[in-house]
Amino acid sequence: MSDVVLEVSGVSRTYYDDKKNAVEALRDIGLTVSRGEFVTFIGSSGCGKTTLLRLIAGLDEPQSGKLLLYGMEISGANPNRGYVVQQGGLFPWLSVWDNIAYGLKVRGQYRKHKADVAKYVRLIGLEGFEKSFPHQISGGMAQRVAIARALINEPELLLLDEPMGALDSFTRADIQDKLLELHRESGATMLLVTHDVDEAIFLSDRIFIMTPRPGKIKHILRVSIPHPRHRGGVDFFSLRRDILEQLELASAMPQPEYKI
Amino acid sequence: MSLLDTPLWEVVKGSFAAEVWDKIAPAVFETLYMTAIASLITLVFGLALGILLTVTNPDGLLPLKMFYNLSGWLINILRSLPQMVMIILMIPVARVLFGKSYGTNPCMVAIAACCIPMYARIVESSILEISKGKIEAAKSMGSTNTQIIVRVLLPETLPSLIRGFTVAIIAVLSMTALAGMFGAGGVGDIAVRFGYQRFQHDVLFAAVYVLIALVQIIQFCGNFASKRIIKKRNLI
Ligand SMILES: Nc1ncnc2c1ncn2[C@@H]1O[C@H](COP(=O)(O)OP(=O)(O)O)[C@@H](O)[C@H]1O
Ligand SMILES: [Mg+2]
């Protein structure tokens, strides 16, 4: 694999709760991600997806193992790894424009790259809402702002922790399209956490299926359906079935009621 | 006029007389002066100490266990002293600092010693309520710790900092009245000298009106300011 951006090897992270019980959030995780790839982590709640993303973001440290970004050890947060969370990440006292410009401002780049803010406002389709505050726009728009706010720093990696988890399915499909567009435009490598199988298939080049207690990567699936992908396509369904089986959800799920 | 020989209604009427207010006016200005200066000192040092406490918290931006424990311990000691004890305690301290132990400035030291720790705790608890997600987002966009304090922690908590400061100003005001007993002047001094020692209850009543009015005004301004910000962000 050429052009490896991220290399994770032997990473383990154990939490201790109030009663000193150990929770093995991640055990011996190893993976590599290539430049420009779109990968998804999928798995039930509690299998360590957020823990893994926070480690890559540099917001937490593993007890053992290594995380390398272009061969350099990750330590501490850095704008070269953008991090988007499920909800409430925007600053309510700043307008859409100022939220997106935040990263430029704190790094003293705002004057030089003011045009970038306008570019990202346009890319996420929020022209005319620059002066609005987060509470004045919809949840879907807010998440687009959150994504733009991370992308404006031109990160090597964009880490997305269930950014669409709190949205309805129409808005979600809309943001998925937007995300693919941004992926093409920015060329950023994207790592997405989701619990939505369709979302994973629709967006990813590769899907990492995770299992809990201890959190491990159970299986890696390559999605080779060409873009643009059709959410109702036949190849979509066969992949879906594979993933559901891997997640051991297949039998518990009702069979889809389609007559062909 | 005294309640001992005059009916209540007459005393109340007398408390609005011009000569009563002539006596009180300079004291009102003294109280306003003391309250303003002591509040400002409380704001600056209380805010700084509150921020330092949250930043050096074991879960904070820059954990410094020694400093955190030491300042927490000091704050608790200062907070456990009743206001009057603090004033009495500060008399010798003020003699060292100002060369005299009587008057407005020494009492301000006592007021600050009481109100700074209180406001610092209010600031600390407001900042601790900020969601970790926002701080982490700021970190991953390249903010330094100072930028996180100035651009995230302070704007985020501004409404509760203002409400907390309102509480602090009122505490300062009530303490200036107490300090009046120890030579600090102001409305408290008037209440003691005229209302208690000379039984001039009309003057005492007037002093009470002033205090009530001041507290109302301070509370109104504080509520107004914090509500405006909250409304702008549509948090209610
Ligand atoms: N700060 C923490 N303290 C203690 N346990 C935690 C902490 N964060 C996560 N965990 C535990 O680690 C496991 C993995 O959590 P997480 O990474 O959030 O899972 P996911 O994002 O896949 O739902 C869970 O069992 C969770 O309870
Ligand atoms: Mg999670």
Side-chain angles (χ1 to χ4, degrees):
Chain A
M1 221 181 280
S2 63
D3 251 358
V4 172
V5 182
L6 177 72
E7 194 180 343
V8 176
S9 55
V11 163
S12 301
R13 178 72 171 93
T14 302
Y15 291 111
Y16 294 91
D17 65 13
D18 303 335
K19 293 177 205 110
K20 300 270 176 222
N21 294 321
V23 181
E24 238 183 312
L26 292 174
R27 181 196 283 178
D28 196 22
I29 299 288
L31 60 95
T32 56
V33 180
S34 315
R35 190 192 187 110
E37 239 190 328
F38 198 127
V39 302
T40 304
F41 298 91
I42 194 164
S44 60
S45 168
C47 65
K49 306 182 295 294
T50 298
T51 305
L52 179 57
L53 232 53
R54 284 173 47 86
L55 288 172
I56 298 171
L59 296 166
D60 189 15
E61 281 168 16
Q63 270 110 357
S64 63
K66 271 207 173 95
L67 298 119
L68 305 174
L69 183 76
Y70 282 119
M72 305 261 285
E73 193 144 353
I74 290 175
S75 80
N78 189 295
N80 68 15
R81 279 160 279 129
Y83 182 55
V84 178
V85 291
Q86 183 169 25
Q87 240 185 330
L90 292 186
F91 301 137
W93 61 93
L94 295 180
S95 65
V96 165
W97 179 281
D98 288 335
N99 262 289
I100 296 177
Y102 181 89
L104 294 178
K105 283 185 177 166
V106 292
R107 286 178 296 118
Q109 305 271 303
Y110 181 59
R111 267 160 205 270
K112 219 162 64 187
H113 295 280
K114 218 169 170 172
D116 282 6
V117 184
K119 182 182 109 186
Y120 276 101
V121 168
R122 196 180 64 246
L123 271 176
I124 59 169
L126 276 178
E127 285 151 306
F129 289 93
E130 294 90 342
K131 293 203 175 80
S132 303
F133 283 87
H135 70 269
Q136 293 167 320
I137 57 178
S138 71
M141 288 167 154
Q143 280 311 67
R144 280 188 266 164
V145 174
I147 293 166
R149 186 174 73 156
L151 277 179
I152 201 163
N153 305 313
E154 296 179 338
E156 305 287 354
L157 293 179
L158 182 64
L159 310 168
L160 301 145
D161 194 352
E162 304 194 28
M164 294 161 263
L167 305 175
D168 64 86
S169 52
F170 295 101
T171 316
R172 197 184 286 205
D174 181 48
I175 298 205
Q176 289 167 3
D177 291 336
K178 200 45 105 192
L179 214 48
L180 282 181
E181 194 187 319
L182 291 168
H183 183 232
R184 265 198 316 275
E185 287 272 337
S186 65
T189 308
M190 297 196 174
L191 281 74
L192 170 80
V193 162
T194 183
H195 49 229
D196 181 338
V197 178
D198 292 345
E199 185 169 286
I201 303 172
F202 185 72
L203 295 170
S204 328
D205 299 318
R206 280 191 299 158
I207 300 174
F208 292 78
I209 295 168
M210 295 181 70
T211 48
R213 273 169 287 275
K216 281 181 92 96
I217 294 174
K218 184 184 177 196
H219 196 71
I220 305 175
L221 256 161
R222 186 168 286 283
V223 185
S224 36
I225 311 169
H227 288 282
R229 291 173 183 168
H230 190 295
R231 287 189 177 86
V234 180
D235 31 10
F236 215 94
F237 277 104
S238 71
L239 252 179
R240 187 169 200 269
R241 196 196 184 97
D242 289 353
I243 297 173
L244 290 177
E245 261 162 24
Q246 287 289 344
L247 292 170
E248 288 159 18
L249 290 169
S251 55
M253 297 274 286
Q255 288 299 309
E257 295 172 23
Y258 296 107
K259 292 199 181 93
I260 305 172
Chain B
M1 262 180 260
S2 166
L3 281 173
L4 298 177
D5 52 24
T6 322
L8 175 66
W9 172 241
E10 291 297 321
V11 178
V12 169
K13 256 206 313 211
S15 69
F16 287 100
E19 71 258 27
V20 170
W21 289 88
D22 284 345
K23 264 183 216 149
I24 284 207
V28 173
F29 284 111
E30 273 169 14
T31 294
L32 287 177
Y33 166 76
M34 271 192 288
T35 308
I37 303 280
S39 298
L40 205 68
I41 295 172
T42 301
L43 176 67
V44 172
F45 290 95
L47 198 58
L49 190 56
I51 291 170
L52 275 176
L53 272 176
T54 28
V55 169
T56 57
N57 186 308
D59 292 326
L61 293 170
L62 198 80
L64 274 177
K65 210 167 174 209
M66 272 284 282
F67 178 89
Y68 177 78
N69 288 342
L70 204 73
S71 47
W73 180 74
L74 186 70
I75 284 180
N76 287 344
I77 287 182
L78 289 176
R79 297 241 316 170
S80 57
L81 298 183
Q83 296 179 339
M84 196 167 81
V85 175
M86 184 70 88
I87 293 172
I88 296 170
L89 190 68
M90 283 299 148
I91 288 173
V93 175
R95 185 171 292 138
V96 174
L97 287 177
F98 297 100
K100 60 174 185 172
S101 60
Y102 212 68
T104 311
N105 289 339
C107 279
M108 243 144 27
V109 177
I111 295 173
C114 261
C115 295
I116 289 172
M118 180 192 80
Y119 190 53
R121 282 289 186 216
I122 295 178
V123 172
E124 183 194 17
S125 64
S126 310
I127 297 180
L128 283 179
E129 268 174 30
I130 297 181
S131 81
K132 257 194 138 101
K134 283 194 188 114
I135 298 170
E136 291 184 340
K139 269 191 198 166
S140 68
M141 287 186 288
S143 321
T144 61
N145 285 343
T146 318
Q147 284 170 330
I148 291 178
I149 293 168
V150 176
R151 288 177 178 264
V152 180
L153 302 187
L154 292 182
E156 169 79 1
T157 46
L158 195 58
S160 49
L161 292 183
I162 291 175
R163 260 180 282 124
F165 187 49
T166 312
V167 174
I169 298 177
I170 291 172
V172 168
L173 178 68
S174 83
M175 228 182 132
T176 64
L178 188 66
M181 286 180 71
F182 298 88
V187 179
D189 174 48
I190 291 284
V192 175
R193 272 197 294 135
F194 293 92
Y196 183 68
Q197 291 168 352
R198 298 187 209 165
F199 300 105
Q200 293 190 13
H201 293 129
D202 46 350
V203 183
L204 175 66
F205 280 18
V208 169
Y209 307 150
V210 169
L211 289 173
I212 291 175
L214 283 177
V215 170
Q216 295 295 336
I217 291 168
I218 294 165
Q219 190 67 55
F220 175 82
C221 293
N223 287 351
F224 180 79
S226 82
K227 270 222 185 86
R228 249 185 86 100
I229 295 166
I230 291 175
K231 231 187 205 139
K232 194 170 152 212
R233 298 179 190 170
N234 201 25
L235 297 176
I236 40 172

